[in-house]
Amino acid sequence: MAADVAIRLYSGPLSMFGAKAEIALAEKGILFELVMVPFTMARLYEPKHPEVLRINPKRQVPVLIHGGLEIADSTQIFEYLEDLRPDPPLWPRSVEVRARARQIEMLSDEVYFPHIVRLFGLQDAPADPVTIAAREGAAAFYDRLEAAIGDKAHLAGDFSYADIAFYMAQTFGERMGAPIGAGCPRLLAWRGRMGGRPAVRKVAGAMGRYLVGEGRTLPAFLAALT
């Protein structure tokens, strides 16, 4: 499919997975139409956008439409964008390093983020066993990435989809009470570098501004992007 065919992305103002896709499109330099589906703090994504309902059996954003192609998963969107526009590459060229980057991206979504989901609504219950277990799980993940990043600028070496995925997941982690601690200085430095990327600043900054408009307090690193 020609890259000049219009791309439309359905996302939401607080969609972590939609933000992943937005950042990836911007990093690739691909023009696209962004459709923010209806969302309120009270009703969340109800009523669902009809295109999201039609395309995604899971009834959630992101949804990407490119001509006759419809994709409803952020990781599959990553893979499609890499095939559609290989340069700049957002998966490492080395087979081994690319496998590591894919693993980090998967673990961010499937292992780390479920700990954060369990913290939703528990910010005022620090002694709750669920809170304690979720924070411990998040902290263990931070330790794992702190050891993995070493002296590299990014999680798998070169900037990749792995960095996009974990940055957005950790943004939610920070907000939900699972911050990166001082014992992970390399990871904190990495997060600072990520905030300096124009695509990250644009997407995460817009999310921050939405939260401020809803009267929510932002972590310092996110507030700096708004």
Side-chain angles (χ1 to χ4, degrees), residues 32-96:
F32 66 102
E33 176 191 357
L34 177 63
V35 178
M36 283 292 184
V37 304
F39 175 88
T40 64
M41 290 292 192
R43 301 190 63 190
L44 303 180
Y45 290 99
E46 297 294 344
K48 302 288 186 180
H49 191 286
E51 282 293 85
V52 174
L53 284 177
R54 180 181 69 81
I55 295 167
N56 190 354
K58 295 176 72 173
R59 301 162 55 89
Q60 62 192 27
V61 292
V63 166
L64 181 142
I65 300 176
H66 189 198
L69 179 67
E70 300 170 338
I71 308 175
D73 175 83
S74 61
T75 302
Q76 289 183 23
I77 290 171
F78 283 172
E79 299 291 352
Y80 178 64
L81 296 181
E82 198 69 4
D83 290 336
L84 182 69
R85 183 169 295 182
D87 292 308
L90 292 182
W91 285 129
R93 296 297 196 195
S94 161
V95 172
E96 181 179 346

Short mmCIF file of all heavy atoms in Angstrom, two decimals, residues 32-96:
data_model
loop_
_atom_site.label_atom_id
_atom_site.label_comp_id
_atom_site.label_asym_id
_atom_site.label_seq_id
_atom_site.Cartn_x
_atom_site.Cartn_y
_atom_site.Cartn_z
N PHE A 32 -0.56 11.83 9.48
CA PHE A 32 -1.76 11.06 9.79
C PHE A 32 -2.82 11.99 10.37
O PHE A 32 -2.52 13.05 10.90
CB PHE A 32 -1.46 9.92 10.76
CG PHE A 32 -1.03 10.36 12.14
CD1 PHE A 32 -1.92 10.33 13.20
CD2 PHE A 32 0.27 10.81 12.38
CE1 PHE A 32 -1.54 10.73 14.47
CE2 PHE A 32 0.67 11.20 13.65
CZ PHE A 32 -0.23 11.16 14.70
N GLU A 33 -4.06 11.55 10.26
CA GLU A 33 -5.17 12.24 10.89
C GLU A 33 -5.43 11.60 12.24
O GLU A 33 -5.63 10.39 12.33
CB GLU A 33 -6.43 12.14 10.02
CG GLU A 33 -7.67 12.77 10.66
CD GLU A 33 -8.95 12.44 9.93
OE1 GLU A 33 -8.89 11.77 8.89
OE2 GLU A 33 -10.02 12.85 10.43
N LEU A 34 -5.42 12.41 13.29
CA LEU A 34 -5.67 11.91 14.63
C LEU A 34 -7.11 12.19 15.02
O LEU A 34 -7.57 13.33 14.98
CB LEU A 34 -4.73 12.59 15.64
CG LEU A 34 -4.93 12.22 17.11
CD1 LEU A 34 -4.67 10.74 17.34
CD2 LEU A 34 -4.02 13.07 17.99
N VAL A 35 -7.84 11.14 15.36
CA VAL A 35 -9.22 11.26 15.83
C VAL A 35 -9.25 10.88 17.30
O VAL A 35 -8.98 9.72 17.66
CB VAL A 35 -10.17 10.36 15.03
CG1 VAL A 35 -11.60 10.48 15.57
CG2 VAL A 35 -10.12 10.70 13.55
N MET A 36 -9.53 11.85 18.16
CA MET A 36 -9.67 11.57 19.58
C MET A 36 -11.12 11.18 19.86
O MET A 36 -12.04 11.99 19.66
CB MET A 36 -9.27 12.79 20.41
CG MET A 36 -7.79 13.00 20.53
SD MET A 36 -7.02 11.69 21.51
CE MET A 36 -5.32 12.26 21.57
N VAL A 37 -11.32 9.96 20.30
CA VAL A 37 -12.67 9.49 20.55
C VAL A 37 -13.21 10.14 21.82
O VAL A 37 -12.45 10.61 22.67
CB VAL A 37 -12.71 7.95 20.67
CG1 VAL A 37 -12.13 7.30 19.43
CG2 VAL A 37 -11.96 7.48 21.91
N PRO A 38 -14.54 10.20 21.99
CA PRO A 38 -15.11 10.80 23.19
C PRO A 38 -14.63 10.11 24.46
O PRO A 38 -14.55 8.88 24.54
CB PRO A 38 -16.62 10.60 22.99
CG PRO A 38 -16.79 10.48 21.51
CD PRO A 38 -15.56 9.78 21.02
N PHE A 39 -14.30 10.93 25.46
CA PHE A 39 -13.81 10.40 26.73
C PHE A 39 -14.12 11.41 27.83
O PHE A 39 -13.93 12.61 27.65
CB PHE A 39 -12.28 10.19 26.67
CG PHE A 39 -11.69 9.76 27.99
CD1 PHE A 39 -11.63 8.42 28.32
CD2 PHE A 39 -11.19 10.69 28.88
CE1 PHE A 39 -11.07 8.02 29.53
CE2 PHE A 39 -10.63 10.30 30.09
CZ PHE A 39 -10.58 8.96 30.42
N THR A 40 -14.61 10.91 28.97
CA THR A 40 -14.75 11.73 30.16
C THR A 40 -14.28 10.92 31.35
O THR A 40 -14.30 9.68 31.32
CB THR A 40 -16.21 12.16 30.41
OG1 THR A 40 -17.00 10.99 30.67
CG2 THR A 40 -16.79 12.92 29.22
N MET A 41 -13.84 11.61 32.41
CA MET A 41 -13.40 10.91 33.61
C MET A 41 -14.54 10.12 34.25
O MET A 41 -14.33 9.07 34.85
CB MET A 41 -12.82 11.90 34.62
CG MET A 41 -11.49 12.49 34.21
SD MET A 41 -10.19 11.26 34.22
CE MET A 41 -8.73 12.31 34.06
N ALA A 42 -15.76 10.62 34.09
CA ALA A 42 -16.90 9.96 34.72
C ALA A 42 -17.32 8.70 33.97
O ALA A 42 -17.58 7.66 34.58
CB ALA A 42 -18.08 10.93 34.82
N ARG A 43 -17.37 8.79 32.64
CA ARG A 43 -17.89 7.67 31.85
C ARG A 43 -16.82 6.97 31.02
O ARG A 43 -17.11 6.02 30.30
CB ARG A 43 -19.01 8.16 30.93
CG ARG A 43 -20.19 8.79 31.65
CD ARG A 43 -21.35 9.02 30.72
NE ARG A 43 -21.87 7.77 30.18
CZ ARG A 43 -22.76 7.69 29.18
NH1 ARG A 43 -23.20 8.81 28.61
NH2 ARG A 43 -23.18 6.52 28.74
N LEU A 44 -15.60 7.46 31.13
CA LEU A 44 -14.48 6.92 30.35
C LEU A 44 -14.82 6.95 28.86
O LEU A 44 -15.16 8.00 28.34
CB LEU A 44 -14.11 5.53 30.86
CG LEU A 44 -13.76 5.46 32.36
CD1 LEU A 44 -13.42 4.03 32.76
CD2 LEU A 44 -12.63 6.40 32.70
N TYR A 45 -14.74 5.80 28.18
CA TYR A 45 -14.94 5.79 26.72
C TYR A 45 -16.37 5.44 26.32
O TYR A 45 -16.60 5.06 25.17
CB TYR A 45 -13.95 4.82 26.08
CG TYR A 45 -12.52 5.32 26.12
CD1 TYR A 45 -11.64 4.86 27.09
CD2 TYR A 45 -12.05 6.26 25.22
CE1 TYR A 45 -10.34 5.31 27.15
CE2 TYR A 45 -10.76 6.72 25.26
CZ TYR A 45 -9.90 6.24 26.23
OH TYR A 45 -8.61 6.70 26.28
N GLU A 46 -17.31 5.55 27.25
CA GLU A 46 -18.71 5.28 26.92
C GLU A 46 -19.41 6.58 26.53
O GLU A 46 -19.25 7.60 27.20
CB GLU A 46 -19.42 4.64 28.11
CG GLU A 46 -18.85 3.27 28.49
CD GLU A 46 -19.04 2.21 27.43
OE1 GLU A 46 -19.89 2.41 26.52
OE2 GLU A 46 -18.34 1.19 27.50
N PRO A 47 -20.19 6.56 25.45
CA PRO A 47 -20.40 5.45 24.51
C PRO A 47 -19.20 5.26 23.60
O PRO A 47 -18.50 6.22 23.28
CB PRO A 47 -21.64 5.89 23.73
CG PRO A 47 -21.56 7.39 23.73
CD PRO A 47 -20.98 7.76 25.08
N LYS A 48 -18.94 4.04 23.19
CA LYS A 48 -17.81 3.74 22.35
C LYS A 48 -17.97 4.37 20.96
O LYS A 48 -19.08 4.48 20.43
CB LYS A 48 -17.65 2.22 22.17
CG LYS A 48 -17.49 1.45 23.47
CD LYS A 48 -16.13 1.67 24.10
CE LYS A 48 -15.93 0.79 25.32
NZ LYS A 48 -14.62 0.97 25.96
N HIS A 49 -16.85 4.78 20.39
CA HIS A 49 -16.88 5.32 19.03
C HIS A 49 -17.28 4.20 18.07
O HIS A 49 -16.78 3.09 18.15
CB HIS A 49 -15.50 5.87 18.68
CG HIS A 49 -15.48 6.68 17.43
ND1 HIS A 49 -15.58 6.13 16.17
CD2 HIS A 49 -15.39 8.04 17.24
CE1 HIS A 49 -15.53 7.09 15.26
NE2 HIS A 49 -15.42 8.25 15.88
N PRO A 50 -18.18 4.48 17.12
CA PRO A 50 -18.67 3.40 16.24
C PRO A 50 -17.58 2.74 15.41
O PRO A 50 -17.65 1.53 15.15
CB PRO A 50 -19.70 4.10 15.36
CG PRO A 50 -19.46 5.56 15.52
CD PRO A 50 -18.89 5.74 16.89
N GLU A 51 -16.56 3.49 14.98
CA GLU A 51 -15.48 2.87 14.20
C GLU A 51 -14.64 1.94 15.07
O GLU A 51 -14.19 0.90 14.61
CB GLU A 51 -14.61 3.94 13.56
CG GLU A 51 -15.20 4.58 12.32
CD GLU A 51 -15.29 3.60 11.16
OE1 GLU A 51 -16.31 2.86 11.09
OE2 GLU A 51 -14.37 3.56 10.33
N VAL A 52 -14.42 2.32 16.32
CA VAL A 52 -13.69 1.45 17.23
C VAL A 52 -14.48 0.16 17.48
O VAL A 52 -13.92 -0.94 17.47
CB VAL A 52 -13.39 2.18 18.55
CG1 VAL A 52 -12.76 1.25 19.57
CG2 VAL A 52 -12.48 3.39 18.30
N LEU A 53 -15.78 0.29 17.67
CA LEU A 53 -16.62 -0.88 17.87
C LEU A 53 -16.61 -1.79 16.65
O LEU A 53 -16.57 -3.02 16.76
CB LEU A 53 -18.05 -0.45 18.17
CG LEU A 53 -18.36 0.08 19.57
CD1 LEU A 53 -19.81 0.52 19.65
CD2 LEU A 53 -18.07 -0.97 20.62
N ARG A 54 -16.64 -1.19 15.49
CA ARG A 54 -16.69 -1.98 14.25
C ARG A 54 -15.40 -2.75 14.01
O ARG A 54 -15.43 -3.90 13.58
CB ARG A 54 -16.96 -1.05 13.06
CG ARG A 54 -17.05 -1.76 11.72
CD ARG A 54 -17.30 -0.79 10.59
NE ARG A 54 -16.15 0.08 10.35
CZ ARG A 54 -15.07 -0.28 9.64
NH1 ARG A 54 -14.99 -1.49 9.12
NH2 ARG A 54 -14.09 0.58 9.46
N ILE A 55 -14.27 -2.14 14.32
CA ILE A 55 -12.99 -2.71 13.92
C ILE A 55 -12.37 -3.59 15.01
O ILE A 55 -11.80 -4.64 14.71
CB ILE A 55 -12.01 -1.57 13.54
CG1 ILE A 55 -12.55 -0.84 12.29
CG2 ILE A 55 -10.61 -2.09 13.30
CD1 ILE A 55 -11.85 0.48 12.02
N ASN A 56 -12.47 -3.17 16.25
CA ASN A 56 -11.74 -3.84 17.32
C ASN A 56 -12.67 -4.67 18.20
O ASN A 56 -13.48 -4.10 18.95
CB ASN A 56 -10.98 -2.82 18.18
CG ASN A 56 -10.02 -3.48 19.14
OD1 ASN A 56 -9.98 -4.71 19.26
ND2 ASN A 56 -9.24 -2.68 19.84
N PRO A 57 -12.54 -5.99 18.19
CA PRO A 57 -13.39 -6.82 19.06
C PRO A 57 -13.19 -6.51 20.54
O PRO A 57 -14.08 -6.78 21.35
CB PRO A 57 -12.94 -8.25 18.73
CG PRO A 57 -12.30 -8.17 17.38
CD PRO A 57 -11.67 -6.81 17.33
N LYS A 58 -12.03 -5.92 20.90
CA LYS A 58 -11.78 -5.57 22.30
C LYS A 58 -12.38 -4.21 22.66
O LYS A 58 -12.29 -3.77 23.79
CB LYS A 58 -10.28 -5.57 22.57
CG LYS A 58 -9.65 -6.96 22.44
CD LYS A 58 -8.15 -6.93 22.61
CE LYS A 58 -7.74 -6.68 24.05
NZ LYS A 58 -6.26 -6.82 24.22
N ARG A 59 -12.95 -3.52 21.66
CA ARG A 59 -13.72 -2.29 21.88
C ARG A 59 -12.86 -1.15 22.45
O ARG A 59 -13.32 -0.36 23.26
CB ARG A 59 -14.89 -2.56 22.84
CG ARG A 59 -15.85 -3.60 22.34
CD ARG A 59 -16.73 -4.15 23.46
NE ARG A 59 -17.45 -3.11 24.19
CZ ARG A 59 -18.64 -2.62 23.87
NH1 ARG A 59 -19.26 -3.10 22.80
NH2 ARG A 59 -19.20 -1.69 24.60
N GLN A 60 -11.60 -1.08 22.04
CA GLN A 60 -10.73 -0.06 22.61
C GLN A 60 -9.78 0.49 21.55
O GLN A 60 -9.54 -0.13 20.52
CB GLN A 60 -9.93 -0.65 23.77
CG GLN A 60 -9.01 -1.79 23.38
CD GLN A 60 -8.46 -2.55 24.58
OE1 GLN A 60 -9.09 -2.59 25.64
NE2 GLN A 60 -7.29 -3.15 24.43
N VAL A 61 -9.27 1.70 21.84
CA VAL A 61 -8.26 2.30 20.98
C VAL A 61 -6.88 1.77 21.40
O VAL A 61 -6.73 1.26 22.53
CB VAL A 61 -8.31 3.84 21.10
CG1 VAL A 61 -9.59 4.37 20.50
CG2 VAL A 61 -8.16 4.33 22.55
N PRO A 62 -5.88 1.86 20.50
CA PRO A 62 -5.90 2.56 19.22
C PRO A 62 -6.44 1.68 18.09
O PRO A 62 -6.39 0.45 18.15
CB PRO A 62 -4.42 2.85 18.97
CG PRO A 62 -3.71 1.69 19.60
CD PRO A 62 -4.53 1.36 20.83
N VAL A 63 -6.93 2.37 17.08
CA VAL A 63 -7.31 1.74 15.81
C VAL A 63 -6.67 2.57 14.70
O VAL A 63 -6.81 3.79 14.68
CB VAL A 63 -8.84 1.69 15.64
CG1 VAL A 63 -9.21 1.36 14.21
CG2 VAL A 63 -9.45 0.69 16.60
N LEU A 64 -5.96 1.91 13.80
CA LEU A 64 -5.34 2.59 12.67
C LEU A 64 -5.99 2.10 11.39
O LEU A 64 -6.19 0.90 11.19
CB LEU A 64 -3.84 2.32 12.64
CG LEU A 64 -3.03 2.99 11.52
CD1 LEU A 64 -1.67 3.46 12.03
CD2 LEU A 64 -2.85 2.07 10.32
N ILE A 65 -6.34 3.05 10.52
CA ILE A 65 -6.91 2.75 9.21
C ILE A 65 -5.99 3.34 8.16
O ILE A 65 -5.65 4.52 8.21
CB ILE A 65 -8.33 3.33 9.07
CG1 ILE A 65 -9.26 2.74 10.14
CG2 ILE A 65 -8.88 3.04 7.68
CD1 ILE A 65 -10.66 3.34 10.13
N HIS A 66 -5.59 2.51 7.20
CA HIS A 66 -4.76 2.96 6.09
C HIS A 66 -5.33 2.34 4.82
O HIS A 66 -5.11 1.17 4.55
CB HIS A 66 -3.30 2.54 6.29
CG HIS A 66 -2.36 3.14 5.30
ND1 HIS A 66 -1.10 2.64 5.07
CD2 HIS A 66 -2.50 4.22 4.47
CE1 HIS A 66 -0.49 3.38 4.16
NE2 HIS A 66 -1.32 4.33 3.79
N GLY A 67 -6.10 3.14 4.08
CA GLY A 67 -6.81 2.60 2.93
C GLY A 67 -7.79 1.54 3.39
O GLY A 67 -8.62 1.77 4.26
N GLY A 68 -7.66 0.33 2.83
CA GLY A 68 -8.55 -0.76 3.22
C GLY A 68 -8.03 -1.58 4.39
O GLY A 68 -8.69 -2.54 4.81
N LEU A 69 -6.88 -1.20 4.95
CA LEU A 69 -6.30 -1.94 6.06
C LEU A 69 -6.74 -1.35 7.39
O LEU A 69 -6.70 -0.13 7.58
CB LEU A 69 -4.77 -1.91 5.96
CG LEU A 69 -4.00 -2.64 7.07
CD1 LEU A 69 -4.24 -4.14 7.00
CD2 LEU A 69 -2.52 -2.32 6.99
N GLU A 70 -7.10 -2.20 8.33
CA GLU A 70 -7.53 -1.77 9.67
C GLU A 70 -6.78 -2.59 10.71
O GLU A 70 -6.83 -3.82 10.69
CB GLU A 70 -9.04 -1.94 9.82
CG GLU A 70 -9.83 -1.13 8.80
CD GLU A 70 -11.31 -1.45 8.76
OE1 GLU A 70 -11.69 -2.57 9.20
OE2 GLU A 70 -12.08 -0.62 8.27
N ILE A 71 -6.08 -1.90 11.63
CA ILE A 71 -5.28 -2.56 12.65
C ILE A 71 -5.72 -2.05 14.01
O ILE A 71 -5.87 -0.84 14.21
CB ILE A 71 -3.77 -2.29 12.46
CG1 ILE A 71 -3.34 -2.61 11.03
CG2 ILE A 71 -2.95 -3.10 13.46
CD1 ILE A 71 -1.89 -2.25 10.75
N ALA A 72 -5.87 -2.97 14.97
CA ALA A 72 -6.40 -2.59 16.28
C ALA A 72 -5.54 -3.12 17.41
O ALA A 72 -6.03 -3.72 18.35
CB ALA A 72 -7.84 -3.08 16.42
N ASP A 73 -4.23 -2.90 17.33
CA ASP A 73 -3.32 -3.31 18.40
C ASP A 73 -2.07 -2.47 18.25
O ASP A 73 -1.51 -2.36 17.15
CB ASP A 73 -3.00 -4.80 18.28
CG ASP A 73 -1.97 -5.24 19.31
OD1 ASP A 73 -2.36 -5.51 20.46
OD2 ASP A 73 -0.77 -5.28 18.97
N SER A 74 -1.58 -1.90 19.36
CA SER A 74 -0.44 -0.97 19.25
C SER A 74 0.82 -1.66 18.77
O SER A 74 1.59 -1.09 17.99
CB SER A 74 -0.19 -0.28 20.61
OG SER A 74 0.12 -1.22 21.62
N THR A 75 1.07 -2.89 19.20
CA THR A 75 2.28 -3.60 18.76
C THR A 75 2.18 -3.96 17.28
O THR A 75 3.16 -3.84 16.53
CB THR A 75 2.51 -4.85 19.61
OG1 THR A 75 2.63 -4.47 20.98
CG2 THR A 75 3.77 -5.57 19.18
N GLN A 76 1.01 -4.37 16.82
CA GLN A 76 0.84 -4.64 15.41
C GLN A 76 0.99 -3.36 14.58
O GLN A 76 1.50 -3.40 13.45
CB GLN A 76 -0.51 -5.30 15.16
CG GLN A 76 -0.61 -6.72 15.67
CD GLN A 76 -1.93 -7.38 15.35
OE1 GLN A 76 -2.63 -6.99 14.42
NE2 GLN A 76 -2.28 -8.39 16.13
N ILE A 77 0.56 -2.24 15.14
CA ILE A 77 0.77 -0.95 14.46
C ILE A 77 2.26 -0.68 14.33
O ILE A 77 2.73 -0.24 13.27
CB ILE A 77 0.05 0.17 15.21
CG1 ILE A 77 -1.48 0.03 15.04
CG2 ILE A 77 0.50 1.55 14.71
CD1 ILE A 77 -2.30 0.96 15.91
N PHE A 78 3.03 -0.93 15.39
CA PHE A 78 4.48 -0.78 15.31
C PHE A 78 5.04 -1.59 14.14
O PHE A 78 5.84 -1.10 13.33
CB PHE A 78 5.15 -1.28 16.59
CG PHE A 78 5.07 -0.36 17.78
CD1 PHE A 78 5.49 -0.79 19.02
CD2 PHE A 78 4.60 0.93 17.67
CE1 PHE A 78 5.45 0.04 20.13
CE2 PHE A 78 4.54 1.78 18.76
CZ PHE A 78 4.97 1.32 20.00
N GLU A 79 4.66 -2.85 14.07
CA GLU A 79 5.20 -3.73 13.03
C GLU A 79 4.81 -3.23 11.64
O GLU A 79 5.62 -3.26 10.70
CB GLU A 79 4.70 -5.16 13.24
CG GLU A 79 5.10 -5.80 14.55
CD GLU A 79 6.60 -6.09 14.64
OE1 GLU A 79 7.32 -5.94 13.64
OE2 GLU A 79 7.05 -6.46 15.74
N TYR A 80 3.58 -2.78 11.50
CA TYR A 80 3.14 -2.29 10.20
C TYR A 80 3.91 -1.03 9.79
O TYR A 80 4.35 -0.91 8.64
CB TYR A 80 1.63 -2.00 10.23
CG TYR A 80 1.12 -1.43 8.93
CD1 TYR A 80 1.16 -2.20 7.77
CD2 TYR A 80 0.62 -0.13 8.85
CE1 TYR A 80 0.71 -1.68 6.56
CE2 TYR A 80 0.18 0.39 7.65
CZ TYR A 80 0.22 -0.39 6.50
OH TYR A 80 -0.22 0.12 5.30
N LEU A 81 4.08 -0.11 10.72
CA LEU A 81 4.80 1.13 10.40
C LEU A 81 6.25 0.83 10.00
O LEU A 81 6.80 1.50 9.13
CB LEU A 81 4.77 2.08 11.59
CG LEU A 81 3.39 2.60 12.01
CD1 LEU A 81 3.52 3.56 13.19
CD2 LEU A 81 2.68 3.28 10.84
N GLU A 82 6.85 -0.18 10.63
CA GLU A 82 8.24 -0.52 10.28
C GLU A 82 8.32 -1.05 8.85
O GLU A 82 9.28 -0.75 8.13
CB GLU A 82 8.78 -1.54 11.28
CG GLU A 82 10.28 -1.65 11.30
CD GLU A 82 10.98 -0.42 11.86
OE1 GLU A 82 10.30 0.53 12.33
OE2 GLU A 82 12.21 -0.40 11.85
N ASP A 83 7.34 -1.82 8.44
CA ASP A 83 7.31 -2.30 7.05
C ASP A 83 6.95 -1.17 6.08
O ASP A 83 7.49 -1.10 4.98
CB ASP A 83 6.29 -3.43 6.91
CG ASP A 83 6.74 -4.71 7.60
OD1 ASP A 83 7.96 -4.89 7.79
OD2 ASP A 83 5.87 -5.53 7.96
N LEU A 84 6.04 -0.32 6.51
CA LEU A 84 5.57 0.75 5.64
C LEU A 84 6.68 1.76 5.36
O LEU A 84 6.86 2.21 4.22
CB LEU A 84 4.37 1.46 6.29
CG LEU A 84 3.73 2.59 5.49
CD1 LEU A 84 3.01 2.03 4.27
CD2 LEU A 84 2.74 3.36 6.39
N ARG A 85 7.41 2.14 6.40
CA ARG A 85 8.49 3.12 6.24
C ARG A 85 9.69 2.64 7.07
O ARG A 85 9.81 2.97 8.26
CB ARG A 85 8.04 4.52 6.67
CG ARG A 85 9.12 5.57 6.44
CD ARG A 85 8.58 6.99 6.59
NE ARG A 85 7.60 7.31 5.57
CZ ARG A 85 7.00 8.51 5.46
NH1 ARG A 85 7.29 9.48 6.32
NH2 ARG A 85 6.12 8.73 4.50
N PRO A 86 10.59 1.89 6.46
CA PRO A 86 11.72 1.31 7.21
C PRO A 86 12.68 2.33 7.79
O PRO A 86 13.37 2.02 8.77
CB PRO A 86 12.41 0.43 6.16
CG PRO A 86 11.36 0.15 5.12
CD PRO A 86 10.51 1.39 5.08
N ASP A 87 12.74 3.52 7.21
CA ASP A 87 13.66 4.54 7.72
C ASP A 87 12.88 5.75 8.22
O ASP A 87 11.97 6.22 7.54
CB ASP A 87 14.63 4.97 6.62
CG ASP A 87 15.59 3.86 6.24
OD1 ASP A 87 16.23 3.32 7.17
OD2 ASP A 87 15.69 3.52 5.06
N PRO A 88 13.25 6.27 9.40
CA PRO A 88 14.28 5.75 10.30
C PRO A 88 13.81 4.46 10.98
O PRO A 88 12.63 4.32 11.31
CB PRO A 88 14.43 6.87 11.33
CG PRO A 88 13.09 7.53 11.36
CD PRO A 88 12.58 7.47 9.95
N PRO A 89 14.74 3.51 11.16
CA PRO A 89 14.34 2.24 11.79
C PRO A 89 14.02 2.44 13.27
O PRO A 89 14.72 3.14 13.98
CB PRO A 89 15.58 1.36 11.62
CG PRO A 89 16.71 2.33 11.54
CD PRO A 89 16.16 3.55 10.85
N LEU A 90 12.93 1.82 13.71
CA LEU A 90 12.58 1.85 15.13
C LEU A 90 12.62 0.45 15.75
O LEU A 90 12.30 0.30 16.92
CB LEU A 90 11.20 2.48 15.33
CG LEU A 90 11.15 3.99 15.01
CD1 LEU A 90 9.75 4.54 15.30
CD2 LEU A 90 12.19 4.77 15.80
N TRP A 91 13.01 -0.55 14.98
CA TRP A 91 13.50 -1.81 15.51
C TRP A 91 14.98 -1.88 15.17
O TRP A 91 15.37 -1.55 14.04
CB TRP A 91 12.79 -3.02 14.91
CG TRP A 91 11.40 -3.30 15.39
CD1 TRP A 91 10.31 -3.51 14.60
CD2 TRP A 91 10.93 -3.44 16.74
NE1 TRP A 91 9.20 -3.76 15.35
CE2 TRP A 91 9.55 -3.72 16.68
CE3 TRP A 91 11.55 -3.34 17.98
CZ2 TRP A 91 8.77 -3.92 17.81
CZ3 TRP A 91 10.77 -3.53 19.12
CH2 TRP A 91 9.41 -3.81 19.03
N PRO A 92 15.84 -2.30 16.10
CA PRO A 92 17.27 -2.38 15.78
C PRO A 92 17.53 -3.30 14.59
O PRO A 92 16.80 -4.27 14.35
CB PRO A 92 17.87 -2.95 17.07
CG PRO A 92 16.90 -2.57 18.14
CD PRO A 92 15.55 -2.63 17.50
N ARG A 93 18.59 -3.00 13.83
CA ARG A 93 18.92 -3.79 12.64
C ARG A 93 19.45 -5.17 13.01
O ARG A 93 19.16 -6.15 12.33
CB ARG A 93 19.98 -3.04 11.82
CG ARG A 93 19.52 -1.71 11.26
CD ARG A 93 18.38 -1.85 10.28
NE ARG A 93 18.20 -0.64 9.47
CZ ARG A 93 17.12 -0.38 8.76
NH1 ARG A 93 16.11 -1.24 8.76
NH2 ARG A 93 17.04 0.74 8.03
N SER A 94 20.23 -5.26 14.07
CA SER A 94 20.78 -6.55 14.50
C SER A 94 19.66 -7.48 14.94
O SER A 94 18.75 -7.09 15.69
CB SER A 94 21.76 -6.34 15.66
OG SER A 94 21.97 -7.54 16.38
N VAL A 95 19.71 -8.72 14.45
CA VAL A 95 18.66 -9.69 14.79
C VAL A 95 18.58 -9.89 16.30
O VAL A 95 17.49 -9.91 16.89
CB VAL A 95 18.93 -11.03 14.08
CG1 VAL A 95 17.96 -12.10 14.56
CG2 VAL A 95 18.79 -10.85 12.57
N GLU A 96 19.73 -10.05 16.96
CA GLU A 96 19.74 -10.30 18.40
C GLU A 96 19.23 -9.10 19.18
O GLU A 96 18.40 -9.24 20.10
CB GLU A 96 21.15 -10.66 18.86
CG GLU A 96 21.24 -10.95 20.35
CD GLU A 96 22.65 -11.33 20.78
OE1 GLU A 96 23.49 -11.62 19.92
OE2 GLU A 96 22.90 -11.33 22.00
#
